[in-house]
Amino acid sequence: MHGPAPEARFPFPGAEHTVFIKNVISGDYIEAGDYSYYNDPVDAARFQEKCVRYHFDFLGDRLTIGKFCALATGVEFIMNGANHAMGGVSTYPFHIFQGGWEQDYDTSVFLKNSRGDTTVGHDVWIGTDATILPGVNIGSGAIVGAKSVVGSDVPPYAIVAGNPARIIRPRFDAVTVERLLEIAWWNWPIELISTNLAAIREGHPDDLECIAAAL
């Protein structure tokens, strides 16, 4: 037992509603780990075009998605290219239209508004139509509710929802969260994961620690 091939574009044979994200993205500033998927009944393979917005190479901001993440239809990552300079009278981006409007524009003004890279940890579930704003770090094991707008960092194993997204509750107590992050089951060999699914899905950290100790 080994599960689907991580190199598969469509992990469900004959169905194109779900893609393994790492196999449908390109470029130096976006990456995804094994088995992280995006589900969409319409053109799921266009994940990068549909879901990663205002991501311009010249800005250099990165989107990183970990392993075993589940992304529902309509998830959007708004990258730093969406920002407008706010230090002057107008926020209108005259410079992008050329025709002379680009002259004397100081690009450093724009870069000052960058919030940095966007990072999604491992084993993260992001619900339908959720929006992740620039520079957000979503910790491993977190859950983002449907239609949430996430503008600040999400701790590991927290459940957040709303606009703006707020912590609803932690999934586990702080000590257990630290134990789970230390165990990091998503880094195990896939054969070990496959033969211990019951412990990963329903077990206690004690069970996972015993398995990890044998590595």
Side-chain angles (χ1 to χ4, degrees):
M1 185 167 64
H2 52 72
E7 297 80 17
R9 186 179 178 89
F10 303 108
F12 297 108
E16 298 186 358
H17 53 64
T18 301
V19 293
F20 280 156
I21 297 170
K22 76 166 193 174
N23 302 320
V24 297
I25 57 178
S26 62
D28 295 332
Y29 298 98
I30 179 171
E31 63 180 295
D34 287 348
Y35 305 103
S36 287
Y37 72 81
Y38 173 63
N39 174 266
D40 191 331
V42 180
D43 293 330
R46 294 174 57 218
F47 167 82
Q48 188 166 346
E49 180 181 353
K50 296 175 68 173
C51 302
V52 186
R53 309 291 305 281
Y54 309 105
H55 196 196
F56 306 130
D57 286 356
F58 69 87
L59 292 177
D61 55 337
R62 299 183 60 84
L63 170 61
T64 302
I65 300 169
K67 303 175 186 176
F68 295 97
C69 293
L71 276 59
T73 304
V75 168
E76 281 192 323
F77 295 93
I78 306 299
M79 304 301 288
N80 285 286
N83 289 331
H84 290 208
M86 298 185 293
V89 174
S90 175
T91 61
Y92 191 82
F94 292 96
H95 62 284
I96 70 173
F97 292 101
Q98 306 299 307
W101 285 5
E102 76 281 7
Q103 294 180 14
D104 301 321
Y105 178 69
D106 183 359
T107 56
S108 67
V109 173
F110 185 87
L111 293 173
K112 287 178 183 177
N113 291 300
S114 175
R115 296 187 59 191
D117 298 337
T118 300
T119 304
V120 179
H122 309 284
D123 190 24
V124 172
W125 173 22
I126 304 181
T128 300
D129 292 335
T131 299
I132 315 301
L133 297 182
V136 166
N137 178 27
I138 300 177
S140 295
I143 298 173
V144 177
K147 299 185 183 299
S148 296
V149 177
V150 184
S152 56
D153 291 351
V154 178
Y157 290 96
I159 300 174
V160 301
N163 180 8
R166 296 285 186 261
I167 296 176
I168 305 301
R169 63 177 176 85
R171 295 180 59 197
F172 304 100
D173 62 77
V175 172
T176 301
V177 168
E178 289 301 316
R179 293 172 68 189
L180 291 170
L181 293 175
E182 179 68 24
I183 291 167
W185 65 263
W186 43 80
N187 289 330
W188 294 355
I190 194 58
E191 294 79 11
L192 188 64
I193 291 173
S194 298
T195 55
N196 290 281
L197 293 181
I200 294 171
R201 288 187 295 225
E202 305 162 5
H204 189 274
D206 289 346
D207 303 322
L208 299 185
E209 284 176 338
C210 289
I211 297 167
L215 287 175

